[in-house]
Amino acid sequence: RARARERESVCFEFLTLLSSIAERVSPNVSLVGHLSQKHVMKLLGYHEKWLRSYSRLQPSQGKWLYALLAALDSLLTADTEACLRSILRRCVSFSLSCKAPGPSSEHVLMSIITVFFKQQDVHSWQG
């Protein structure tokens, strides 16, 4: 148990560090375009975990998610689908709590996940 807590603590510190880097470094084609699918998925997983600790989508995180989704292969594994569905659920939650008029970053990400990655059965937000 102590070892598991230690791993969680180290993981949280690592995610915090990556989050602060992501806020200062914008994604670009030369960076994201050279990532392997394994690394794209790993970064999406980190972002999915960060989303759990925020009450709204951060602008820098929206840029990174958009870039990573653009680099993600459309043939999805079960783990990738689960990650995308989790991101979708957080975006739905954020968009429901946001009262801003018009489309938002959350709506763009929700559309990409539901339409391009064919996760339509989760899109009750359109209802």
Side-chain angles (χ1 to χ4, degrees):
R1 282 190 166 292
R3 192 167 178 100
R5 276 190 236 127
E6 181 181 327
R7 265 196 319 250
E8 279 183 22
S9 175
V10 169
C11 183
F12 180 76
E13 289 174 20
F14 181 68
L15 289 175
T16 303
L17 173 66
L18 284 177
S19 179
S20 69
I21 292 169
E23 288 175 4
R24 290 178 294 189
V25 178
S26 291
N28 60 49
V29 175
S30 64
L31 173 66
V32 178
H34 288 87
L35 295 174
S36 69
Q37 286 300 296
K38 178 181 172 183
H39 288 111
V40 169
M41 187 51 223
K42 187 169 281 290
L43 288 170
L44 276 173
Y46 290 146
H47 280 278
E48 184 267 328
K49 287 178 178 59
W50 291 333
L51 286 172
R52 295 182 206 161
S53 63
Y54 290 110
S55 59
R56 65 182 182 84
L57 184 67
Q58 304 299 310
S60 59
Q61 192 171 28
K63 291 175 189 174
W64 272 98
L65 284 168
Y66 181 82
L68 292 169
L69 290 174
L72 185 64
D73 188 19
S74 62
L75 297 174
L76 305 175
T77 65
D79 288 342
T80 305
E81 280 189 359
C83 180
L84 291 178
R85 288 170 183 245
S86 179
I87 291 170
L88 177 60
R89 282 190 293 275
R90 290 303 296 159
C91 285
V92 168
S93 174
F94 295 156
S95 70
L96 291 175
S97 66
C98 179
K99 304 298 182 203
S104 64
S105 297
E106 292 88 349
H107 287 103
V108 171
L109 294 171
M110 291 185 309
S111 294
I112 292 169
I113 293 170
T114 58
V115 176
F116 185 75
F117 293 105
K118 299 178 177 39
Q119 301 301 305
Q120 287 93 347
D121 56 328
V122 186
H123 76 295
S124 61
W125 57 274
Q126 285 185 338

